[in-house]
Amino acid sequence: MEGYVVYGSPGSGSVPVEAALTLIGARYRVIGETVLRDVACNPDVFKVNPPGQVPALVLPGGEVMTESAAILIWLADQYPHALLAPPPADKRRPAFLRWMAYISSAIYGLA
Ligand SMILES: N[C@@H](CCC(=O)N[C@@H](CS)C(=O)NCC(=O)O)C(=O)O
């Protein structure tokens, strides 16, 4: 199977995506800048994510996902063996979704 492609930068929101892929045991490669401010100047990023932001994740089938919370929830659901999140029927699931949405919408931007 062809692996994932992560568009990112050290210290950016691509770090948890890379961590999740590592814990899952998935094959992936990273395309990115060593300095976060250069992300906004990287034409490769704009090709996959027109707002020019990372993280962006290219799935093995070619689809592109953006938005950290969406990517992390999707990965957790695709690979339940990695135990990255409570499964959909788990009583802890509502709190998990609540915090994923809150962190990405209310806290991420503060950094
Ligand atoms: N809502 C997005 C925010 C992504 C974001 O702000 N990424 C930053 C890096 S951590 C970025 O790409 N900044 C460059 C820019 O906005 O030009 C998410 O949760 O993934």
Side-chain angles (χ1 to χ4, degrees), residues 56-68:
L57 180 69
V58 182
L59 308 186
E63 304 94 331
V64 176
M65 283 194 79
T66 61
E67 294 304 315
S68 311

Side-chain angles (χ1 to χ4, degrees), residues 9 11-14 36-41 45-46 49 51-56 66-71 103-105 108-109 111:
S9 171
S12 78
S14 62
L36 179 56
R37 68 172 180 277
D38 292 343
V39 162
C41 310
V45 173
F46 283 91
N49 189 20
Q53 291 190 325
V54 296
T66 61
E67 294 304 315
S68 311
I71 293 169
I103 290 167
S104 67
S105 63
Y108 192 133

Side-chain angles (χ1 to χ4, degrees), residues 13-106:
S14 62
V15 173
V17 175
E18 292 175 52
L21 289 166
T22 300
L23 291 168
I24 286 163
R27 283 184 33 210
Y28 69 93
R29 64 189 171 95
V30 180
I31 295 176
E33 305 291 343
T34 53
V35 179
L36 179 56
R37 68 172 180 277
D38 292 343
V39 162
C41 310
N42 185 338
D44 289 340
V45 173
F46 283 91
K47 279 186 207 152
V48 294
N49 189 20
Q53 291 190 325
V54 296
L57 180 69
V58 182
L59 308 186
E63 304 94 331
V64 176
M65 283 194 79
T66 61
E67 294 304 315
S68 311
I71 293 169
L72 293 170
I73 293 166
W74 188 84
L75 287 172
D77 289 350
Q78 289 295 306
Y79 301 97
H81 74 273
L83 303 176
L84 298 176
D90 192 292
K91 67 179 182 185
R92 297 166 299 170
R93 182 77 172 188
F96 164 72
L97 292 174
R98 177 183 170 205
W99 282 105
M100 290 297 282
Y102 182 73
I103 290 167
S104 67
S105 63

